[in-house]
């Protein structure tokens, strides 16, 4: 699985993170989407600032690329405090965590990405840190071991995870606000793209109405391919900007978007070659399913976890795939996309129990 897959919601590395950071909103009133979460955070922020208290601990869970890191920066900005960013896999021993917590000032925000991957021993250190703002540190070992208690400045822990079910119950219970981030609507993605395009100075030299309408249609064409994910939307926008600058004198039109993203292998639905290979394998090799994930992974030569985390969620979202007790199965909706005909249950025996006939791909 290539790590630079353009329509993946996962981070593309330091360069990708740096470019995304330049497009992030800084205040809560600039944040687009997730209205229920924004309302909850707005009320809580106003309340804790009025009482001069630190922000409550917040747990955000959902697929990658939906804005969990952005919200951490916004909360710190709204509180006027410092943000410390780390990740669960980076914290391997108590000293790592103690060093971070003892340096934090009152009201600071600690953002822990992939919080479900924290070692259990470190979770136990966090219990008292989150509840009582103190941490017990063991000095030496064996019969001469001593424990000293270090007081901490009141802080807010913001945890982010794509696997909320892997968090232990005691850890999950210590968060005051827990929210699942949802995929974004096309209209919300269009607002995000419009703001990002302005920050990137795209198409800013010709404000003519016809050009403005064409640019809006171009941005909508990007939004429809963004799989409901702002990080993917901004990544596609940057690829379109590069193509437009080199091949189209900086113009932004639907045709330019089509050409740029066709070069990247992204079709009008936001599917790339790995998605299409998955669908073709299930349709052609396994007669439309049901089939086990491991079998599909072996056929494609891909990791099963990669397919489950990065391919299947969007196919499920758009209704091309169903998960049944017997395994993965394609739906009737995908027949037109594959250029096949869906076989009804009455005619299935004549087609060798295949869900589809014909193949024009």
């Amino acid at each position: 699985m290539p790590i630079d897959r353009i329509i993946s919601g996962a981070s593309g590395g330091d360069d990708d993170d740096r470019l995304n950071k330049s497009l992030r909103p800084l205040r809560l009133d600039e944040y687009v989407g997730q209205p229920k979460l924004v309302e909850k955070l707005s009320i809580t922020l106003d309340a804790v600032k009025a009482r001069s208290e630190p922000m409550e601990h917040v747990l955000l869970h959902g697929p990658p690329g939906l804005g969990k890191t952005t919200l951490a920066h916004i909360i710190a900005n709204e509180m006027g405090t410092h943000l410390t960013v780390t990740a669960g896999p980076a914290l391997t021993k108590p000293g790592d965590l103690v060093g971070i917590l003892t340096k934090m000032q009152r009201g600071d925000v600690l953002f822990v990405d992939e919080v479900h991957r924290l070692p259990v021993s470190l979770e136990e250190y966090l219990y008292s840190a989150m509840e009582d703002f103190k941490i017990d540190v063991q000095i030496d070992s064996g019969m001469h071991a001593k424990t000293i208690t270090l007081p901490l400045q009141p802080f807010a822990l913001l945890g982010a995870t794509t696997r909320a079910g892997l968090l232990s119950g005691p850890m999950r219970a210590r968060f005051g606000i827990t929210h699942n981030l949802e995929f974004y609507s096309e209209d919300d993605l269009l607002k995000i793209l419009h703001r990002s395009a302005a920050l990137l100075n795209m198409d800013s030299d010709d404000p003519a109405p016809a050009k403005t309408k064409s640019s809006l249609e171009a941005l909508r064409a990007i939004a429809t391919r963004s799989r409901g994910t702002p990080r993917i939307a901004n990544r596609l926008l940057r690829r379109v900007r590069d193509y437009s600058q080199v091949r189209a004198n900086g113009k932004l039109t639907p045709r330019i978007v089509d050409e740029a993203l066709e070069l990247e292998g992204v079709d009008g639905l936001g599917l790339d070659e790995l998605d299409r290979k998955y669908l073709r394998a299930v349709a052609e090799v396994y007669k439309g399913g049901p089939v086990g994930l491991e079998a599909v992974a072996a056929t494609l030569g891909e990791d099963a976890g990669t397919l489950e985390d990065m391919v299947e969620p969007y196919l499920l979202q758009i209704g091309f795939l169903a998960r049944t007790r017997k395994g993965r199965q394609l739906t009737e909706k995908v027949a037109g996309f594959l250029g096949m005909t869906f076989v009804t249950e009455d005619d299935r025996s004549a087609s060798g129990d295949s869900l589809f006939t014909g193949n024009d791909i």
Side-chain angles (χ1 to χ4, degrees):
M1 173 67 185
I3 60 173
D4 60 346
R5 190 178 181 223
I6 189 173
I7 44 72
S8 167
S11 170
D14 292 341
D15 288 342
D16 190 50
D17 289 341
R18 176 178 53 80
L19 291 168
N20 280 328
K21 186 176 181 179
S22 67
L23 301 177
R24 283 179 184 148
L26 300 177
R27 314 297 300 186
L28 200 57
D29 56 9
E30 298 173 354
Y31 189 85
V32 176
Q34 313 295 339
K36 293 181 180 179
L37 174 60
V38 168
E39 184 178 10
K40 286 198 291 188
L41 291 178
S42 178
I43 291 172
T44 304
L45 284 166
D46 288 344
V48 297
K49 285 191 288 186
R51 296 194 300 264
S52 298
E53 294 177 356
M55 178 63 180
E56 279 202 64
H57 303 304
V58 180
L59 176 64
L60 301 176
H61 54 97
L66 296 185
K68 297 184 283 292
T69 305
T70 297
L71 283 167
H73 284 84
I74 287 176
I75 289 173
N77 286 335
E78 294 283 357
M79 292 295 295
T81 57
H82 178 71
L83 174 69
T84 299
V85 179
T86 187
L91 302 174
T92 59
K93 54 185 184 295
D96 299 333
L97 186 61
V98 172
I100 291 174
L101 292 176
T102 53
K103 290 178 182 177
M104 299 187 71
Q105 301 300 310
R106 181 179 179 83
D108 281 356
V109 178
L110 172 61
F111 176 65
V112 182
D113 199 10
E114 297 184 273
V115 67
H116 66 276
R117 295 179 62 184
L118 270 175
V120 175
S121 59
L122 295 194
E123 275 193 18
E124 294 173 354
Y125 273 91
L126 275 174
Y127 294 162
S128 60
M130 294 172 71
E131 287 190 327
D132 305 319
F133 301 116
K134 64 180 184 180
I135 189 167
D136 296 324
V137 180
Q138 184 173 316
I139 305 298
D140 211 338
S141 59
M143 62 181 297
H144 301 293
K146 296 180 180 179
T147 299
I148 61 172
T149 300
L150 299 177
L152 303 174
Q153 293 289 341
F155 70 99
L157 175 65
L158 196 153
T161 176
T162 56
R163 299 284 188 90
L166 297 182
L167 270 180
S168 66
M171 184 67 180
R172 195 161 50 241
R174 283 167 169 79
F175 289 96
I177 298 175
T178 302
H179 194 88
N180 177 45
L181 272 68
E182 301 173 346
F183 286 107
Y184 284 62
S185 68
E186 188 176 302
D187 288 339
D188 282 342
L189 287 172
L190 186 59
K191 294 176 184 177
I192 292 170
L193 286 167
H194 194 274
R195 177 180 180 275
S196 297
L199 291 173
L200 294 171
N201 296 317
M202 295 178 65
D203 200 24
S204 60
D205 57 345
D206 188 353
K211 186 64 171 294
T212 302
K213 182 179 179 181
S214 177
S215 298
L216 189 63
E217 291 173 352
L219 293 178
R220 186 173 290 280
I222 298 174
T224 59
R225 292 165 162 87
S226 298
R227 303 166 77 106
T229 306
R231 179 180 289 158
I232 295 175
N234 284 327
R235 189 178 294 158
L236 294 179
L237 180 65
R238 295 197 303 269
R239 300 295 175 88
V240 170
R241 178 186 63 167
D242 292 345
Y243 183 91
S244 171
Q245 180 181 336
V246 174
R247 297 284 181 87
N249 198 28
K251 307 300 181 184
L252 183 61
T253 67
R255 181 179 63 82
I256 296 301
V257 170
D258 290 343
E259 292 177 0
L261 298 186
E262 182 180 357
L263 190 64
E264 299 289 346
V266 179
D267 64 23
L269 289 177
L271 304 181
D272 70 353
E273 185 55 32
L274 181 58
D275 298 313
R276 294 188 288 270
K277 282 171 59 181
Y278 181 101
L279 293 172
R280 285 195 294 263
V282 178
E284 297 172 1
V285 180
Y286 299 103
K287 301 180 179 181
V291 58
L293 176 61
E294 295 290 344
V296 180
T299 300
L300 296 179
E302 296 285 350
D303 176 67
T306 295
L307 297 180
E308 185 174 24
D309 293 340
M310 306 189 73
V311 175
E312 291 187 341
Y314 187 62
L315 298 180
L316 290 164
Q317 182 188 345
I318 62 177
F320 278 10
L321 182 70
R323 286 179 178 171
T324 70
R325 290 182 178 180
K326 295 182 179 180
R328 273 61 172 171
Q329 182 169 315
L330 299 185
T331 67
E332 183 177 358
K333 190 175 180 180
V334 79
F337 175 79
L338 293 175
M340 294 179 168
T341 301
F342 185 78
V343 180
T344 62
E345 190 171 347
D346 293 338
D347 299 332
R348 202 155 293 166
S349 58
S351 64
D353 292 326
S354 176
L355 293 176
F356 303 96
T357 61
N359 184 2
D360 299 328
I361 9 180

